[in-house]
Amino acid sequence: MSLLSMVRRSAVMVAVVASPLAAQPAPTATDIVSRYVKAIGGADAIQKITSVKQTGTLSMPAMGLGGDTEVLFTLPNKNSTRISIGGLGEMLVGTDGAVAWSVNPMQGPRLLEDKELAATKESADFLGQMLMPADRFTSVDVVGTADFGGEKTYQLKFVSKATGVVTQRYFSVATGLLRGAEATTETPMGSVTSVSTFSDYKAFGGVMFPTKTETAVGPQAMVMTTTNVEFNTVPAGAIAVPESVKPMIKK
């Protein structure tokens, strides 16, 4: 999702900041995740969402590239991410919940398999990404506190039940919001470690989203900026297998 970035102070955040955390016992992983869900709007508001349309821009400053982005989710498990970059063309990654695909000017259309398929299907689980329910993970453990994105955070280690991927997530001690994530995933180029920083949280339809996500993969860096988020407006059938991928599906 984008999904994911940095800090604008809402009344909720101010209340959280004012809490006497230092006098309280160390929070459990469940406490930290519950506080995060409350900070972004609460489980009741999130569970009313049936689809998401997120639009914005993507830039890769070191390469001088940039373009527009559109991310769609329809519950329970469909997702499409479309990036149009000037000079390169359009890149598309998605899943209809059964199969997953990638279409881009460098590799052409591909049907994703194995770890790529599992990772794409996992990323399509919008409620899982937002609520982080315990049944999505083999384990969730508190690592401790760490400085991340210029502030003190709680570091939690999540082990995905679907993919086995280990993700370190960093939650602001002050606000409860997710400030970043670090994970190693499988790609066509091999194992890749990425570090994402989330900032500029804003409310859309009562739910907080980071509107700036900075992701570093080795020496490469990209910035995704979210300009708008709509809920429950994505038409049925908006996420479907591309025509160029259909011949690759075994009957």
Side-chain angles (χ1 to χ4, degrees):
M1 200 180 276
S2 117
L3 306 209
L4 326 181
S5 292
M6 249 33 27
V7 204
R8 156 256 42 203
R9 313 296 180 186
S10 69
V12 171
M13 296 179 188
V14 171
V16 170
V17 171
S19 300
L21 290 175
Q24 299 176 354
T28 65
T30 299
D31 293 336
I32 294 168
V33 171
S34 296
R35 185 165 173 253
Y36 158 71
V37 171
K38 183 178 180 181
I40 62 172
D44 288 347
I46 294 166
Q47 288 171 338
K48 292 177 182 176
I49 297 170
T50 59
S51 71
V52 181
K53 179 180 180 180
Q54 187 172 347
T55 53
T57 61
L58 178 73
S59 66
M60 291 176 279
M63 302 175 68
L65 298 175
D68 298 324
T69 63
E70 179 190 76
V71 181
L72 304 179
F73 290 91
T74 58
L75 269 58
N77 55 5
K78 296 183 179 181
N79 169 235
S80 172
T81 299
R82 188 184 304 274
I83 303 173
S84 302
I85 296 182
L88 281 183
E90 184 176 275
M91 293 177 280
L92 176 67
V93 177
T95 177
D96 64 355
V99 300
W101 56 84
S102 170
V103 182
N104 66 63
M106 290 77 76
Q107 298 177 305
R110 291 194 302 125
L111 194 62
L112 304 185
E113 299 178 331
D114 302 325
K115 293 182 178 179
E116 280 189 289
L117 170 62
T120 303
K121 291 172 73 171
E122 182 180 45
S123 68
D125 178 10
F126 177 76
L127 292 182
Q129 298 290 335
M130 296 294 284
L131 299 175
M132 303 181 195
D135 65 0
R136 304 300 204 276
F137 305 97
T138 302
S139 62
V140 181
D141 297 307
V142 179
V143 177
T145 58
D147 292 331
F148 189 97
E151 66 177 293
K152 186 176 181 180
T153 64
Y154 294 117
Q155 180 181 353
L156 268 60
K157 176 184 176 183
F158 292 75
V159 181
S160 166
K161 186 178 292 183
T163 64
V165 171
V166 176
T167 303
Q168 305 288 343
R169 289 174 174 154
Y170 301 86
F171 298 84
S172 169
V173 170
T175 67
L177 294 170
L178 182 63
R179 292 286 285 108
E182 179 178 359
T184 299
T185 55
E186 295 299 322
T187 75
M189 289 76 73
S191 297
V192 171
T193 298
S194 63
V195 180
S196 296
T197 303
F198 311 125
S199 63
D200 297 348
Y201 277 85
K202 295 180 181 177
F204 297 91
V207 178
M208 303 282 282
F209 275 78
T211 61
K212 184 177 182 182
T213 300
E214 300 173 85
T215 300
V217 181
Q220 304 297 329
M222 63 182 180
V223 180
M224 180 177 286
T225 302
T226 296
T227 55
N228 191 44
V229 181
E230 299 175 10
F231 299 126
N232 307 336
T233 63
V234 181
I239 300 174
V241 180
E243 290 299 324
S244 60
V245 175
K246 286 182 178 178
M248 303 175 184
I249 300 175
K250 296 179 181 178
K251 303 297 183 182

